[in-house]
Amino acid sequence: MSNTFLILILMGLMALAYRLGLHRSLRLAGGRGGVRNLHSLPSYYGFFTAIWCGLPALLVLFLWVSLQSSVIRDLVVADLPEAVRTLPDAQLSLVINDIQNLAQGNIVSSEVNPAMEQAAAHYQRLQQTGSAASIVVVLSLALAGLALGWRMISPGFRARNRVEAVIKWLLIGCSTIAIFTTLGIVLSVLFEAIRFFEIIPITDFLFGLDWSPQMAIREDQVGSSGAFGVIPLFAGTLLIALIAMLVAVPIGLMSAIYLSEYAGSHFRAYAKPLLEILAGIPTVVYGFFAALTVAPFIRNNGSLLGLDVSSESALAAGLVMGIMIIPFISSLSDDVINAVPQSMRDASLGIGATRSETVLKVILPAALPGIVGGILLAVSRAIGETMIVVMAAGLSANLTANPLQSVTTVTVQIVTLLVGDQEFDSPKTLAAFALGLVLFVITLVLNVVALHVVRKYREAYD
């Protein structure tokens, strides 16, 4: 029985426990007419019984699945010959992998000998025993929890308080998981970045003007200088983000002003969802649009004007990225403008101001902090975009301010460095983590500034 099927059985038992708890509370109250004699609503008694049935069993199942592999591995290793147990950790791990592959019927990397066959059979028996034991323990625990929860129900039992306490701890647990996951991601990137900076000086990385992460395998190898200066990458990132914001901010903001201040409710009901559809289009589709339509259009028209336009340019990527971000800015700005109190509009119109004057001198200044916060969040979105840049701007790390030339961005280079078979001890691979760390710091600062501005705005009108 797979763990998925076991979880489905547990969900079924929890549903049964809910019904049993509900019916027991109603029976003790003397039917639905006597619900007032209960401390909590009957549904809380059902939830209480279901929680007792499912929660402990699910926790035990989670711990069992987490620990079973390591326990079986230790038991298998303990039965291996002395010569195998004393192997270095790396070679011992290969032997264990071969044993696991042989037990699962997969291809092994070395010749199969009788000792390995015996170990694989032992591994298989332990897995079957562990799986059977987990089913018995988990289902027994679920049934015992169901019986205990069902017996604890009485008219004066505070089921609502118990259920709300469990839900509160579940919410705290979910928040903790999110926080620790973020912390784990940051630490994993940080540790690898520190390994990179032990090889490449951080000043060469942050202030270098050349990006050529190809390292020389031989001393006489030419063309593999191993330059890790990130200035060209961040210059390309900022250039594309700037073009995108020049497109997205005016169009998005004007759209928001029209929809919130001038459009009728009927037009707004259709126009706003249609505009927000742009946010749901996959970025790879935008990439196709940029590579197949926008970039050739710019190149052909630039040639007619005598301009030297690359096949892949920052302008093409920035324009399409700006179109992608329009609904982001439009939606946030629309919400912020609508949050401005109607009394401010009425007061402005009441003293004789026109509608356009009210928008320029009353609405926009009042909504400016929220609009700025939305724009900063959009900048973070533009900096982190990858697919459009790969398809429309190219991979060349050119240090240029010319939007008609090919450039690359930080996220594109991170993807490029980690594609294919890589050695995680080489500076080329570790550079991806250093780039990720710097990009994380930049986007974190932008998001903190944006959230600070938005919070300040919200406090003004709460």
Side-chain angles (χ1 to χ4, degrees):
M1 181 186 296
S2 66
N3 290 327
T4 304
F5 190 60
L6 181 57
I7 291 174
L8 290 176
I9 293 177
L10 281 178
M11 301 300 288
L13 286 175
M14 289 177 68
L16 176 64
Y18 174 83
R19 299 298 301 176
L20 292 175
L22 181 70
H23 284 298
R24 179 173 171 79
S25 63
L26 290 175
R27 186 168 59 81
L28 292 175
R32 293 195 175 274
V35 170
R36 66 182 62 182
N37 298 322
L38 297 173
H39 172 272
S40 308
L41 291 174
S43 59
Y44 281 106
Y45 294 97
F47 283 123
F48 175 78
T49 311
I51 288 172
W52 263 103
C53 173
L55 190 58
L58 288 172
L59 289 175
V60 169
L61 177 61
F62 174 75
L63 291 175
W64 197 293
V65 171
S66 302
L67 300 176
Q68 177 173 298
S69 298
S70 60
V71 172
I72 291 178
R73 183 183 186 280
D74 292 341
L75 292 174
V76 170
V77 171
D79 280 355
L80 290 174
E82 179 68 21
V84 178
R85 290 203 306 270
T86 55
L87 288 172
D89 290 340
Q91 296 183 21
L92 183 60
S93 296
L94 290 176
V95 173
I96 296 299
N97 286 335
D98 282 342
I99 292 173
Q100 291 175 345
N101 289 331
L102 185 62
Q104 295 166 359
N106 297 327
I107 299 175
V108 298
S109 60
S110 60
E111 186 178 352
V112 178
N113 53 45
M116 187 180 293
E117 290 180 345
Q118 186 178 0
H122 187 204
Y123 179 86
Q124 211 167 21
R125 286 196 301 273
L126 288 175
Q127 266 206 325
Q128 292 172 350
T129 305
S131 298
S134 69
I135 293 170
V136 173
V137 170
V138 169
L139 291 182
S140 300
L141 195 59
L143 293 174
L146 189 155
L148 180 62
W150 185 79
R151 285 186 60 83
M152 289 174 69
I153 295 175
S154 65
F157 183 70
R158 298 175 179 270
R160 178 177 59 82
N161 301 35
R162 303 291 183 89
V163 171
E164 289 180 350
V166 171
I167 293 175
K168 175 185 173 184
W169 281 105
L170 284 176
L171 294 176
I172 293 174
C174 292
S175 304
T176 306
I177 289 173
I179 292 172
F180 277 94
T181 301
T182 305
L183 187 62
I185 293 172
V186 173
L187 290 178
S188 63
V189 173
L190 179 62
F191 289 145
E192 299 297 333
I194 291 174
R195 292 177 59 197
F196 172 76
F197 291 130
E198 290 175 350
I199 304 171
I200 305 296
I202 189 170
T203 52
D204 293 350
F205 178 74
L206 294 178
F207 303 109
L209 300 180
D210 296 315
W211 175 260
S212 177
Q214 299 299 326
M215 296 295 292
I217 301 176
R218 305 184 310 274
E219 293 183 357
D220 59 342
Q221 188 171 354
V222 179
S224 299
S225 56
F228 291 94
V230 296
I231 295 296
L233 305 187
F234 279 98
T237 303
L238 294 178
L239 178 61
I240 293 177
L242 176 63
I243 296 171
M245 300 314 295
L246 289 176
V247 173
V249 171
I251 297 177
L253 187 56
M254 295 303 163
S255 301
I257 292 173
Y258 176 73
L259 289 175
S260 59
E261 298 298 323
Y262 293 97
S265 57
H266 185 71
F267 179 80
R268 176 185 167 85
Y270 288 99
K272 189 174 182 183
L274 288 175
L275 186 62
E276 292 177 346
I277 286 176
L278 289 172
I281 297 176
T283 56
V284 67
V285 177
Y286 283 109
F288 283 129
F289 176 64
L292 301 179
T293 304
V294 178
F297 176 80
I298 294 174
R299 184 177 64 250
N300 295 334
N301 287 278
S303 301
L304 294 177
L305 298 174
L307 299 175
D308 182 17
V309 183
S310 301
S311 300
E312 297 168 326
S313 63
L315 183 60
L319 288 175
V320 177
M321 192 184 296
I323 294 172
M324 183 189 71
I325 296 175
I326 286 174
F328 198 79
I329 293 179
S330 173
S331 181
L332 288 174
S333 300
D334 182 62
D335 293 340
V336 171
I337 291 173
N338 280 320
V340 175
Q342 183 62 32
S343 59
M344 297 179 68
R345 296 179 177 82
D346 296 339
S348 177
L349 296 173
I351 61 175
T354 64
R355 180 173 290 185
S356 60
E357 289 172 338
T358 301
V359 170
L360 287 175
K361 298 184 178 180
V362 177
I363 303 299
L364 287 183
L368 189 60
I371 294 172
V372 172
I375 292 174
L376 290 176
L377 290 174
V379 172
S380 300
R381 177 74 177 83
I383 290 176
E385 175 55 35
T386 303
M387 188 59 69
I388 295 175
V389 182
V390 170
M391 302 178 74
L395 300 174
S396 302
N398 295 324
L399 182 57
T400 177
N402 185 355
L404 302 179
Q405 295 297 313
S406 173
V407 297
T408 189
T409 63
V410 176
T411 53
V412 171
Q413 285 302 311
I414 291 175
V415 174
T416 305
L417 293 171
L418 296 178
V419 169
D421 296 333
Q422 301 292 338
E423 296 180 7
F424 275 82
D425 290 334
S426 71
K428 179 184 174 183
T429 307
L430 293 175
F433 297 96
L435 289 173
L437 180 63
V438 177
L439 189 64
F440 171 78
V441 172
I442 292 175
T443 53
L444 178 64
V445 171
L446 286 173
N447 279 282
V448 168
V449 173
L451 291 175
H452 175 73
V453 174
V454 172
R455 189 177 298 122
K456 184 178 179 180
Y457 165 76
R458 287 176 177 169
E459 288 175 355
Y461 294 102
D462 279 344

